[in-house]
Amino acid sequence: MGKLEKKLKKNRREFDAAERYSDKQIDKTLAKILANKKISAKRARKLFKAQDEVDRLSARVERLEFKLAKKKAKANRRELIRSIEDAAEGVEQKVCTGDPADSSAASTKEAQAGVAQSSSSAAHQAAKEQAARELSEFAYKPTRGALPNPSNPYSQGNFDYLSALLQKRVKASRYEHSLAVSETAAKLAQAYGLDVPQARIAGLLHDWDKALDHEHLVRRITDFNLDISAQIVAGMPYVLHGPTAAAVLRKRFPELRPAVFSAIEKHTLGSPNMSALEMVVMVADKIEPGHDVAAYRDLYDQIGVLPLEDLFFQVLKLGLVYVLDSAKPFSQESVDVWNYYVEKLI
């Protein structure tokens, strides 16, 4: 075993130990949430520290694995080149002596086919990554045009206009999700006595910035001087599109009014003391009929049955359980939101 392999083995042991400790802290935090209890500051600190240590060691192991894989790939390439050269030499010798060359020729073709298949897979992945970068770049650029009916911001004409803009800046699957969230938000608004057209447009636009990659999200945060903790920016990029979308839409389409922007901003992490519209958009994002998590979809049938705050609390609870169960980063903001609603509703 070489020096690099020994170092990797040692770091993997440390990572496994840190992961076991982190899992223990996650289980204790999950127990609090499942019991509808507040998360103490001490419990949160232990969880954050454990997750940070796992992240640190995971990054170190990944770096070592990359170095080792690179070293092995280099050796494999040399071996493949030698085998192709040997096979080709064998073919040449058999042709010269009049011996059948089928076996050697087949070996050469197989080796070459393996190289071609590997290159094709890498090219496909590169094309996907390039398409994602191009969509992110497009979505980051300023949107041109204006609402066709600024005096009636939630009109059908404005909805259609914004829907067409959205379709160009997100993937097809994300666009379908946005339409489903829009209709679910409208259903929620109808059930709980809110402004239906307003909820419909807020639901439509909630993922306006979803196509932005981490680099463009960070640039957006800088552009608008958004107050977002470093913990969230670095460790939870999947929640940043809420506040960035709200900021850019507030500037571009001010006619949509602050209530819509606030609902879009808070739909990823939530906040203490959320308004009814803010709850509607966050709930609709999770319980729309096409969602891939069955527990969320089951809550769809509770629209109009449970009070809105209770429905929101169930969505919040499921979301935190999912984050912890997936060993994803857990933020202080999430703890604050959870504790607020436990104290208020339980």
Side-chain angles (χ1 to χ4, degrees):
M1 185 182 289
K3 184 178 178 182
L4 192 57
E5 285 88 344
K6 287 179 181 178
K7 192 173 182 181
L8 178 58
K9 187 176 180 180
K10 175 178 177 290
N11 277 271
R12 276 178 175 161
R13 284 199 303 267
E14 291 177 359
F15 171 76
D16 289 343
E19 196 169 43
R20 286 194 296 272
Y21 179 75
S22 178
D23 287 344
K24 193 175 181 182
Q25 301 310 314
I26 286 171
D27 288 343
K28 289 182 177 180
T29 308
L30 269 173
K32 293 286 185 183
I33 292 173
L34 292 171
N36 294 334
K37 292 182 178 179
K38 293 174 73 173
I39 301 169
S40 69
K42 183 178 179 181
R43 162 104 328 271
R45 280 197 302 273
K46 283 188 175 183
L47 177 63
F48 298 150
K49 186 176 180 181
Q51 289 187 326
D52 287 345
E53 183 66 3
V54 167
D55 289 343
R56 184 182 71 82
L57 289 170
S58 174
R60 184 185 292 177
V61 167
E62 282 180 11
R63 284 196 299 271
L64 290 170
E65 285 177 337
F66 177 74
K67 285 182 181 179
L68 186 59
K70 210 174 167 185
K71 181 180 175 183
K72 287 181 177 178
K74 192 173 181 180
N76 288 341
R77 280 197 301 272
R78 285 198 298 265
E79 184 62 33
L80 180 60
I81 290 169
R82 276 198 297 269
S83 68
I84 292 173
E85 288 174 345
D86 290 346
E89 186 178 342
V91 171
E92 186 178 343
Q93 288 174 353
K94 289 186 179 185
V95 169
C96 291
T97 60
D99 294 334
D102 291 350
S103 177
S104 296
S107 298
T108 304
K109 286 180 180 178
E110 284 175 11
Q112 290 171 337
V115 173
Q117 185 176 4
S118 176
S119 299
S120 175
S121 177
H124 178 68
Q125 182 60 30
K128 281 179 66 177
E129 291 173 359
Q130 179 62 25
R133 282 194 296 270
E134 289 175 359
L135 184 60
S136 177
E137 186 67 42
F138 174 81
Y140 176 75
K141 292 177 180 177
T143 303
R144 301 185 182 280
L147 294 178
N149 190 354
S151 62
N152 185 10
Y154 312 127
S155 66
Q156 184 63 45
N158 286 345
F159 181 93
D160 293 341
Y161 173 75
L162 292 167
S163 179
L165 290 179
L166 178 68
Q167 190 171 18
K168 294 176 183 177
R169 58 185 291 119
V170 294
K171 294 191 297 184
S173 58
R174 182 59 51 181
Y175 178 66
E176 292 302 319
H177 165 71
S178 298
L179 292 178
V181 171
S182 175
E183 293 311 308
T184 304
K187 182 171 181 175
L188 285 158
Q190 181 71 43
Y192 298 108
L194 305 178
D195 186 326
V196 174
Q198 183 186 54
R200 190 167 172 243
I201 275 190
L204 175 74
L205 300 177
H206 79 288
D207 275 349
W208 182 262
D209 263 1
K210 188 67 175 179
L212 267 63
D213 58 23
H214 192 247
E215 178 189 348
H216 283 116
L217 285 166
V218 171
R219 284 166 63 181
R220 190 83 95 197
I221 290 167
T222 303
D223 292 343
F224 289 93
N225 194 26
L226 301 180
D227 184 18
I228 303 175
S229 72
Q231 179 191 18
I232 289 176
V233 173
M236 302 173 68
Y238 47 87
V239 304
L240 298 177
H241 66 279
T244 64
V248 73
L249 287 166
R250 185 181 290 113
K251 179 180 179 181
R252 188 66 197 83
F253 303 111
E255 303 91 341
L256 296 177
R257 300 174 189 165
V260 167
F261 307 135
S262 185
I264 292 169
E265 177 182 355
K266 296 176 182 179
H267 87 271
T268 51
L269 279 174
S271 75
N273 197 31
M274 290 177 75
S275 71
L277 179 62
E278 290 163 358
M279 289 185 189
V280 159
V281 174
M282 188 170 179
V283 168
D285 183 34
K286 294 296 187 282
I287 72 170
E288 59 97 348
H291 203 286
D292 55 0
V293 178
Y296 282 133
R297 291 197 307 271
D298 292 343
L299 289 173
Y300 186 87
D301 294 331
Q302 299 302 310
I303 295 175
V305 178
L306 290 177
L308 178 58
E309 276 197 330
D310 290 353
L311 191 58
F312 165 77
F313 184 75
Q314 292 304 315
V315 165
L316 179 66
K317 182 176 181 177
L318 283 171
L320 296 184
V321 168
Y322 168 76
V323 166
L324 285 168
D325 208 35
S326 305
K328 289 187 174 183
F330 199 66
S331 69
Q332 182 60 51
E333 286 82 352
S334 298
V335 172
D336 294 341
V337 173
W338 172 255
N339 286 344
Y340 174 87
Y341 283 102
V342 167
E343 189 170 342
K344 182 178 182 182
L345 301 176
I346 303 302

